[in-house]
Amino acid sequence: MDIPRMGVPEKLADRMSMAEQHEYLRSRFSRRRMLRTGAITVGALAVGGTLGTGSASAAPQPAPVATTDGIDGSLVAPIGRHLSFGPEPDTQFRISWQVPAPVKKPFLRFGKQPWDLSHKVAAEVRALHTPALVQTGAPVDQYYLHVALEDLQPDTTYYYGVGHQGFDPGSQQAVSTLSTFRTAPAREHMWGKVYEPFTFTAFGDQGVSAHAAGNDHIILAQNPAFHLHAGDICYADAAGSGQDSDKAAFTATTWDAFLAQTETVASKVPWMVSYGNHDMEAWYSANGYGGENHRFFLPDNGPDPRTVPGVYTFRYKNVGVISLDANDVSYEIPANLGISAGKQTKWLERRLKDLRNDETVDFIVIFFHHCAFSTTHQHASEGGVREAWVPLFEKYRVDLVINGHNHVYERTDAILGNKVSKAVPSGATVEPAKDGVVYVTAGAAGRSLYSFDAPDTYEGHENHQDSVNTYHFAQGGVKVTETVEWSRVRYTGYSFIKVDVTPAHLGQKSEMKVTALAENGTQVDHYTILRKVGEGWDSKTDDDGEGGGWGW
């Protein structure tokens, strides 16, 4: 079977060094395609200014690419494998990994049996150069490799291994490095039958730590179909302001440690990321995402992959998922404020309407970094998100919104119009179509924890407060104080969420159970979301959405 791929044609790759392959890709693709697929070396200095102004203060410069001469591939083992879905998870997968030194002819083998890896695909090389760092005074070169697999069979487990000249995953010596991935079931009208139940997991703000590794171990035990990471991925940029001054605290090699840490999960489970403020890395591009585009291979079906590459969507069984870039609307950290010129929000509404009119989709899940509703002492709520997106979440009755940014677990009651529309204590059930939207902050994945000004309240430790004094960020970074009643669960401890989805027949109610687990597996919160199958938004609306409504 001939699998379409992105990269250097195999006949050429066989005669090219890694550096030559890189130069081939740079010269072959247009600027738009290069930025979409990442088949370039960014390695550019954004000297002076901030990231979100829309104009770089220095033109990107090609990064030096190390020669493969003298590299013994048998002594170089691939590291940091991580998977992601393509735009269609039933037929498209992306496999990514890293090598600690430039190697010759990197490739991927895959097949349906571990003893039959007959499909061999040349990898796309994305070499990333970071100039001399402040801490060490030495430059860093990193080598990220990617393969796009298309036309896979739905609902099928594949075995895969990654290698290069001198290291073949199909050999007896390297067979222990093999891993697997599984495609989603085919997209089709499912009212005559029901999808099998499945689980996915989510958190934000992980970084590298013993607590981060502990969460990963518990996540793997849930056997999730995919994992959502709501921004602030590894904290190589410790400052997180999106300014040139962040370079002083930047440590590129933190990415090496992060990808090695998450490999136990990400080599088997698609690790889908959105971008947070600590992911705007000033070394690489005007918008700060140049480095991320080298390390991750995300779907490019958002409004503008060049400007907001972390914005995309995919559908898994009866759940539609949307990743957003909240840096685009953040008043608190405005480095990339307005970077999409409103395109992201317009795309979001079109996508929400499409999903609500998709007869195979019951639930809509949205994840992004900055919190729409939180009461922590450190960041609280982002007014830019409330203004730009919350009205759309309410209009289309999004079923679950997942945020990070605040390093705690917090969950709201159901909200409409910035007020409680239904109380949702632990163990309760909510129907967004009539009750409103519930927001979850799951930002305690591994970085140092934040605090609440109100006491913690969670399962087995209830201490509910009728109202909480807090604030949100308004335009200009102004803190606006407010007293709110929607903060239902607060837990100051390392944690993540798992979501168990149980689809149902037409006319019945599909279920999505959201559970918060501490890093030791202890349950600290749970509630259930219900949605009647076949319930959707009436598409007979004008461009303003007026005249529409909910229908069965």
Side-chain angles (χ1 to χ4, degrees):
M1 179 173 69
D2 182 21
I3 302 295
R5 67 184 189 278
M6 302 171 64
V8 181
E10 189 167 355
K11 290 183 179 179
L12 284 177
D14 288 342
R15 303 194 301 268
M16 286 179 164
S17 69
M18 189 173 185
E20 289 168 338
Q21 291 183 46
H22 177 68
E23 289 305 314
Y24 171 88
L25 290 168
R26 286 185 68 247
S27 63
R28 185 176 187 277
F29 295 111
S30 67
R31 177 173 178 80
R32 175 174 177 82
R33 180 162 184 184
M34 286 192 294
L35 285 166
R36 283 181 50 181
T37 66
I40 58 171
T41 292
V42 178
L45 293 175
V47 180
T50 62
L51 296 178
T53 60
S55 60
S57 50
Q61 299 296 317
V65 179
T67 178
T68 59
D69 294 343
I71 299 295
D72 184 349
S74 66
L75 302 178
V76 180
I79 56 175
R81 294 167 299 169
H82 51 287
L83 306 177
S84 64
F85 290 132
E88 299 293 339
D90 56 343
T91 61
Q92 299 173 324
F93 253 77
R94 309 312 187 216
I95 294 90
S96 305
W97 68 100
Q98 186 179 4
V99 287
V103 295
K104 295 179 181 178
K105 303 172 184 175
F107 63 88
L108 173 138
R109 288 190 183 276
F110 74 103
K112 295 180 182 178
Q113 303 294 339
W115 56 84
D116 182 15
L117 304 179
S118 57
H119 303 300
K120 183 178 179 182
V121 184
E124 173 191 338
V125 181
R126 304 183 193 175
L128 184 65
H129 177 77
T130 307
L133 298 178
V134 173
Q135 301 96 319
T136 64
V140 175
D141 290 294
Q142 294 165 307
Y143 307 97
Y144 300 103
L145 307 171
H146 305 269
V147 168
L149 297 181
E150 314 282 349
D151 300 327
L152 298 169
Q153 292 185 8
D155 205 17
T156 300
T157 296
Y158 288 91
Y159 292 81
Y160 78 93
V162 297
H164 47 264
Q165 184 173 299
F167 186 95
D168 191 333
S171 67
Q172 184 175 358
Q173 292 82 359
V175 70
S176 63
T177 66
L178 299 183
S179 190
T180 63
F181 65 87
R182 187 171 183 84
T183 54
R187 292 192 60 173
E188 58 186 68
H189 192 294
M190 295 302 297
W191 287 356
K193 60 179 181 178
V194 178
Y195 286 118
E196 291 296 318
F198 68 97
T199 297
F200 68 90
T201 53
F203 61 41
D205 304 75
Q206 187 176 37
V208 181
S209 72
H211 297 291
N215 266 336
D216 284 355
H217 294 322
I218 303 298
I219 284 173
L220 189 60
Q222 312 309 312
N223 191 29
F226 56 88
H227 177 72
L228 306 179
H229 191 153
D232 281 8
I233 302 168
C234 91
Y235 289 84
D237 181 343
S241 71
Q243 306 286 340
D244 269 4
S245 57
D246 289 5
K247 295 175 182 178
F250 186 75
T251 307
T253 53
T254 302
W255 277 106
D256 303 343
F258 175 82
L259 291 174
Q261 170 188 276
T262 59
E263 186 174 19
T264 55
V265 180
S267 62
K268 305 175 183 67
V269 177
W271 192 284
M272 309 302 294
V273 301
S274 62
Y275 295 152
N277 56 293
H278 285 272
D279 304 314
M280 297 184 290
E281 298 175 340
W283 281 111
Y284 306 115
S285 63
N287 63 8
Y289 302 138
E292 313 296 6
N293 290 346
H294 275 59
R295 301 177 188 108
F296 295 97
F297 199 164
L298 301 174
D300 60 355
N301 56 5
D304 187 350
R306 297 170 299 173
T307 304
V308 281
V311 180
Y312 58 89
T313 182
F314 66 90
R315 172 191 170 281
Y316 190 93
K317 295 188 179 181
N318 66 331
V319 175
V321 180
I322 298 175
S323 168
L324 298 176
D325 179 10
N327 293 317
D328 182 29
V329 297
S330 175
Y331 291 149
E332 179 196 6
I333 304 171
N336 273 350
L337 178 60
I339 193 172
S340 78
K343 292 180 182 178
Q344 180 177 197
T345 300
K346 292 178 181 178
W347 172 87
L348 170 63
E349 176 151 28
R350 291 195 301 271
R351 190 58 188 147
L352 287 171
K353 184 180 292 186
D354 289 344
L355 287 171
R356 277 290 171 240
N357 286 316
D358 187 334
E359 61 187 13
T360 68
V361 171
D362 297 330
F363 300 108
I364 298 176
V365 174
I366 298 184
F367 73 111
F368 55 90
H369 188 60
H370 301 63
C371 297
F373 296 96
S374 181
T375 63
T376 66
H377 183 79
Q378 285 75 9
H379 293 300
S381 303
E382 174 55 70
V385 169
R386 289 189 187 178
E387 290 180 16
W389 296 342
V390 165
L392 295 178
F393 299 160
E394 295 184 355
K395 176 180 177 180
Y396 293 96
R397 292 298 198 272
V398 169
D399 298 284
L400 176 61
V401 178
I402 301 168
N403 299 139
H405 201 41
N406 287 302
H407 302 180
V408 293
Y409 174 79
E410 185 171 17
R411 179 177 62 76
T412 71
D413 288 318
I415 294 176
L416 287 175
N418 201 32
K419 297 180 180 179
V420 175
S421 53
K422 179 182 178 180
V424 187
S426 291
T429 296
V430 62
E431 298 189 52
K434 63 179 181 180
D435 296 332
V437 183
V438 174
Y439 297 80
V440 173
T441 298
R447 290 292 284 188
S448 57
L449 296 170
Y450 287 175
S451 61
F452 296 106
D453 290 331
D456 279 15
T457 176
Y458 54 91
E459 280 190 38
H461 188 83
E462 280 78 9
N463 189 8
H464 179 66
Q465 307 291 300
D466 290 335
S467 63
V468 175
N469 295 323
T470 182
Y471 65 92
H472 68 268
F473 282 95
Q475 194 164 13
V478 176
K479 291 183 178 181
V480 178
T481 58
E482 58 183 354
T483 300
V484 302
E485 299 176 349
W486 39 253
S487 180
R488 174 58 58 173
V489 180
R490 297 179 297 276
Y491 175 69
T492 309
Y494 294 101
S495 55
F496 67 94
I497 65 170
K498 76 164 182 171
V499 183
D500 298 309
V501 183
T502 305
H505 287 285
L506 177 64
Q508 298 178 344
K509 293 180 180 180
S510 290
E511 177 181 297
M512 195 159 60
K513 180 182 177 182
V514 182
T515 303
L517 296 176
E519 63 175 326
N520 62 2
T522 302
Q523 180 172 301
V524 295
D525 182 33
H526 77 285
Y527 75 103
T528 299
I529 304 166
L530 297 178
R531 169 113 11 211
K532 189 176 181 181
V533 180
E535 175 184 44
W537 178 256
D538 183 354
S539 61
K540 297 177 182 179
T541 62
D542 57 23
D543 291 340
D544 295 326
E546 296 178 356
W550 293 96
W552 286 265

